[in-house]
Amino acid sequence: MHLDHSHEGPAAVSADAARPDGTRRALRIGLGGPVGSGKTATVAALCRTLRDQLSIAVVTNDIYTREDAEFLLRNAVLPPERIQAVETGACPHTAIRDDISANLEAVEDLEEAVGPLDLILVESGGDNLTATFSKGLVDAQVFVIDVAGGDDIPRKGGPGVTTADLLVINKTDLAPYVGSDLGRMARDAAEQRGELPVVLTSLKSADGVGPVADWVRAQLAAWTA
Amino acid sequence: MTRAALLVLTDGRFPAGGHAHSGGAEPAVKAGRIRNADDLAAFCRGRLHTTGLTSAALAAAAAHGLDPLALDEAADARTPSPALRAVARKLGRQLMRAARATWPSAELAALAAARPRGAHQPVVLGLTARSAGLGPEDAAHCVVYETVSGPATAVVRLLSLDPFEATAVLARLAPSSTGSPSRPPPPPASASTRCPQLRRRCSTSPPKRTPPGRSASSPRNHPPGAAPCTSTTATKDRPP
């Protein structure tokens, strides 16, 4: 028995940077976070901002439906063939971490069908503060929380808040209405994350997703370097 | 060594995509046919004698060394529903990825190349068992176990059924899962479990047809023991 990767057919190992034909695959970025924090809205805004410069596709994860994919389709952020929905059953975190089969299949199918692609965004189903993506599925991950979910979330930590490659604190426009202290959230996040970046966004404002898009561009530059 | 391989293959955490499937338990719960542990036991018994039996035969035949492409066609013939065929192949493709990472072999690579969109899951499972050094009977037992463990896990989640009760159901089903312990084990060449019907099917090449109206070689919706959550993906699977 040997673990070489030269067998014919589909790749046996998920994290390989090359596709079976030897070309470089797309950069895969995961977006996770609690229910309602703005993951789908962030994906939609990223697609609108980046789609003219980059070839993009999206994989959505929902527990029982295809809501998120349908939202993206309704809003026409990408042509339908560039959006794939994965239904995860009752375990959204299992599908992005413990058993990534269905999501890997979706990203590979997208690359085969509409590639070559520069970027694939994989949006997890809404979950809790422990959700993280497997390194076998994505190259970098964004964790999205929001101001209205409580300004103590960054302090509470958890793997999503502390280890994600980018932490997005969304819906800053709501802070005055829900009594959240943005300064405290930023300080707590910095304390939990050390050098890892944090951005505060309000997707309602013009180019609200700008800081996230800039981060994605930097990731892509590093990936293709 | 082979016993350890069997444990790895049947482990509910084996990453082959089954966690998102309930084996038909979800629609049965929705329709009110499963409400408690007794209903779960009846559902599982029905599954063992229909889908489980045919799938086990296919897996045993593949583990025995029969042509996987011929078996794949045999599985297609026993799966009239397009939705079930699609799920069976999807799960076969997902199992193939995990199998090739854990027990790479030329036979697995050849099947992956011939069926890039996935072969029927029980066929892939049988070939996986073969690549892991396991025999036809091991492959059949693996199928039989996951035929009932998947719905049990799903029902714990769907009904908040007491997990101890659900596990006790699985333990009580063990005699019908393995055949009568008083029967002598079959000869090694028969590629079978101890079920006579299964033995007959496995000892000849591609298994014979299944009774009409049974969702025969329908996708075993929870491959290698993967602890299934529940999903609408599997809702088309027909409960017994």
Side-chain angles (χ1 to χ4, degrees):
Chain A
M1 297 258 197
H2 51 99
L3 270 172
D4 72 311
H5 304 149
S6 59
H7 297 298
E8 297 284 312
V13 172
S14 48
D16 288 349
R19 305 183 58 214
D21 64 5
T23 57
R24 180 171 38 216
R25 64 166 172 77
L27 175 71
R28 301 175 193 155
I29 293 182
L31 290 99
V35 177
S37 61
K39 295 181 294 300
T40 310
T42 302
V43 166
L46 279 176
C47 288
R48 287 192 200 98
T49 306
L50 298 171
R51 66 189 172 192
D52 294 336
Q53 301 121 52
L54 302 172
S55 178
I56 306 176
V58 173
V59 177
T60 63
N61 281 238
D62 275 307
I63 46 176
Y64 296 119
T65 64
R66 304 163 74 87
E67 288 285 327
D68 287 346
E70 278 156 20
F71 174 89
L72 296 174
L73 287 171
R74 262 199 317 278
N75 287 273
V77 297
L78 289 177
E81 66 273 14
R82 287 175 178 263
I83 301 172
Q84 270 226 12
V86 169
E87 286 174 38
T88 63
C91 289
H93 48 273
T94 304
I96 59 165
R97 187 183 57 209
D98 310 84
D99 184 351
I100 56 179
S101 320
N103 272 300
L104 275 177
E105 204 175 277
V107 296
E108 289 173 3
D109 283 354
L110 279 168
E111 237 172 339
E112 207 179 295
V114 296
L117 292 166
D118 300 308
L119 174 68
I120 299 179
L121 300 172
V122 183
E123 182 194 340
S124 88
D127 208 322
N128 56 39
L129 296 177
T130 65
T132 50
F133 284 83
S134 163
K135 290 185 169 68
L137 177 60
V138 301
D139 305 297
Q141 49 194 303
V142 180
F143 198 71
V144 183
I145 60 173
D146 76 288
V147 163
D151 61 6
D152 52 352
I153 287 182
R155 188 167 46 80
K156 287 180 177 171
V161 166
T162 55
T163 67
D165 299 290
L166 176 70
L167 178 68
V168 175
I169 301 175
N170 191 23
K171 306 186 190 176
T172 52
D173 49 308
L174 294 183
Y177 306 106
V178 296
S180 283
D181 180 344
L182 289 178
R184 176 191 165 187
M185 291 186 87
R187 274 193 309 278
D188 288 346
E191 202 162 296
Q192 292 279 2
R193 294 172 50 81
E195 300 293 300
L196 290 168
V198 180
V199 295
L200 285 82
T201 57
S202 166
L203 297 179
K204 297 280 178 200
S205 63
D207 195 32
V209 81
V212 186
D214 290 344
W215 178 85
V216 170
R217 285 193 194 95
Q219 296 295 309
L220 199 60
W223 176 251
T224 50
Chain B
M1 182 233 158
T2 53
R3 182 174 290 178
L6 182 60
L7 292 172
V8 173
L9 187 55
T10 48
D11 188 336
R13 286 157 292 197
F14 193 76
H19 66 91
H21 297 264
S22 74
E26 184 183 338
V29 166
K30 229 177 237 171
R33 286 192 293 273
I34 302 180
R35 284 157 307 181
N36 52 43
D38 288 343
D39 297 344
L40 172 64
F43 178 89
C44 287
R45 206 170 290 115
R47 215 168 136 72
L48 278 177
H49 288 280
T50 52
T51 302
L53 181 60
T54 308
S55 300
L58 286 165
H64 191 54
L66 269 68
D67 176 13
L69 293 177
L71 290 171
D72 193 47
E73 281 175 24
D76 244 357
R78 284 156 182 75
T79 315
S81 152
L84 286 178
R85 281 189 188 182
V87 173
R89 292 192 180 281
K90 192 177 176 64
L91 287 170
R93 180 179 172 191
Q94 294 179 2
L95 171 59
M96 179 62 86
R97 184 194 301 277
R100 292 180 68 194
T102 41
W103 297 287
S105 77
E107 287 179 326
L108 283 172
L111 181 58
R115 292 281 183 275
R117 309 290 304 171
H120 276 258
Q121 200 266 2
V123 178
V124 180
L125 182 79
L127 204 59
T128 303
R130 185 174 167 84
S131 298
L134 296 166
E137 195 168 351
D138 296 323
H141 272 112
C142 181
V143 168
V144 165
Y145 176 65
E146 67 190 35
T147 295
V148 293
S149 62
T153 313
V155 169
V156 166
R157 295 185 174 140
L158 288 162
L159 290 179
S160 302
L161 189 70
D162 181 338
F164 300 118
E165 271 194 73
T167 306
V169 165
L170 292 181
R172 282 199 299 272
L173 283 168
S176 40
S177 305
T178 53
S180 159
S182 61
R183 291 178 71 98
S190 72
S192 73
T193 68
R194 290 172 196 163
C195 165
Q197 203 177 350
L198 188 56
R199 185 157 62 236
R200 194 185 65 238
R201 287 181 187 178
C202 295
S203 56
T204 58
S205 55
K208 298 285 184 284
R209 70 176 182 83
T210 48
R214 298 277 165 87
S215 65
S217 58
S218 76
R220 292 152 347 67
N221 282 322
H222 28 271
C229 295
T230 57
S231 154
T232 49
T233 323
T235 55
K236 289 130 201 145
D237 192 17
R238 189 184 316 168

